[in-house]
Amino acid sequence: MSRIGKAPVNLPKGVTVTIAPDNTVSVKGPLGTLSQKVDPDITVKQEGESLVFTRPTNQPRHRSMHGLYRALIHNMVVGVSEGYEKKQEFIGVGYKVEAKGQILEMSLGFSHDIHFQLPAEVKAEVFAEKKGNPILTLKSADKQLLGQVAAKIRSLRKPEPYKGKGIRFVGEVIRRKAGKSANAK
């Protein structure tokens, strides 16, 4: 049996869950409301302060859906209660980022600045020290949307392996290459 699917999802204080007849689970908390349609084969029940997921058979499809929907609903509960955040570092000479409302204005070494429109659910903050790389912090209750936006921003200038310039997640390790050697024949 799925180990992830068997574990109940505990609901913190301030988080309410409604399960519609069409198997749509809506989670409401202090940071917003998220909803997810669950496969009709998977049964979701609220027992006290937790959600329990069950599956009808032991088929591979049911086993995978069991763990998947439990994980998605758990991410929603954590998102509306605590929220998620991703930090990205802009490394390179002249690389800058500014947050103007829901628009990011980035200077990434191209001949023009890049203007990136953020979704309404994602909030951005920029921290830039003198003599330091600017750090962009993205916050949202929706983990999937946050990861998708962060990946899109990173794809604008991926870190390159020789000098390490580009946009990378804080704490990400980039494999570096040596480059040309001076005495090669």
Side-chain angles (χ1 to χ4, degrees):
M1 190 165 192
S2 168
R3 292 186 198 156
I4 294 173
K6 281 197 295 188
V9 176
N10 296 321
L11 302 175
K13 293 210 184 301
V15 174
T16 57
V17 173
T18 54
I19 303 166
D22 66 340
N23 233 14
T24 301
V25 178
S26 296
V27 181
K28 186 176 182 184
L31 297 180
T33 304
L34 297 172
S35 63
Q36 173 70 46
K37 182 139 176 58
V38 178
D39 191 271
D41 292 341
I42 304 301
T43 308
V44 183
K45 291 182 190 162
Q46 185 168 357
E47 295 179 358
E49 291 297 311
S50 62
L51 291 174
V52 179
F53 296 80
T54 54
R55 62 176 187 241
T57 67
N58 220 11
Q59 293 176 356
R61 182 183 170 281
H62 287 154
R63 286 198 313 255
S64 63
M65 293 293 160
H66 190 207
L68 169 74
Y69 286 112
R70 188 262 177 210
L72 289 175
I73 303 298
H74 178 263
N75 288 343
M76 288 167 44
V77 169
V78 172
V80 298
S81 60
E82 301 167 20
Y84 290 100
E85 80 172 24
K86 294 235 182 227
K87 292 186 176 191
Q88 294 179 317
E89 194 173 10
F90 288 66
I91 300 170
V93 176
Y95 284 21
K96 293 181 213 146
V97 61
E98 282 184 66
K100 295 180 178 176
Q102 289 299 102
I103 296 177
L104 291 179
E105 195 172 296
M106 297 176 276
S107 178
L108 301 175
F110 296 116
S111 62
H112 58 282
D113 286 351
I114 297 172
H115 300 279
F116 187 85
Q117 175 72 43
L118 291 172
E121 298 87 4
V122 178
K123 303 294 176 231
E125 296 174 2
V126 177
F127 178 73
E129 272 185 12
K130 281 240 188 238
K131 305 273 184 184
N133 297 322
I135 294 177
L136 171 67
T137 304
L138 300 169
K139 294 181 181 180
S140 178
D142 191 345
K143 186 176 186 180
Q144 181 179 353
L145 179 66
L146 182 67
Q148 190 174 355
V149 169
K152 180 69 177 166
I153 291 171
R154 184 180 185 272
S155 73
L156 296 173
R157 190 65 114 169
K158 289 184 181 170
E160 54 96 21
Y162 297 102
K163 292 184 181 176
K165 292 177 14 173
I167 303 171
R168 71 169 131 192
F169 294 106
V170 172
E172 181 182 7
V173 177
I174 304 296
R175 288 188 58 192
R176 301 290 296 269
K177 292 184 180 178
K180 286 199 287 190
S181 74
N183 298 345
K185 290 188 178 186

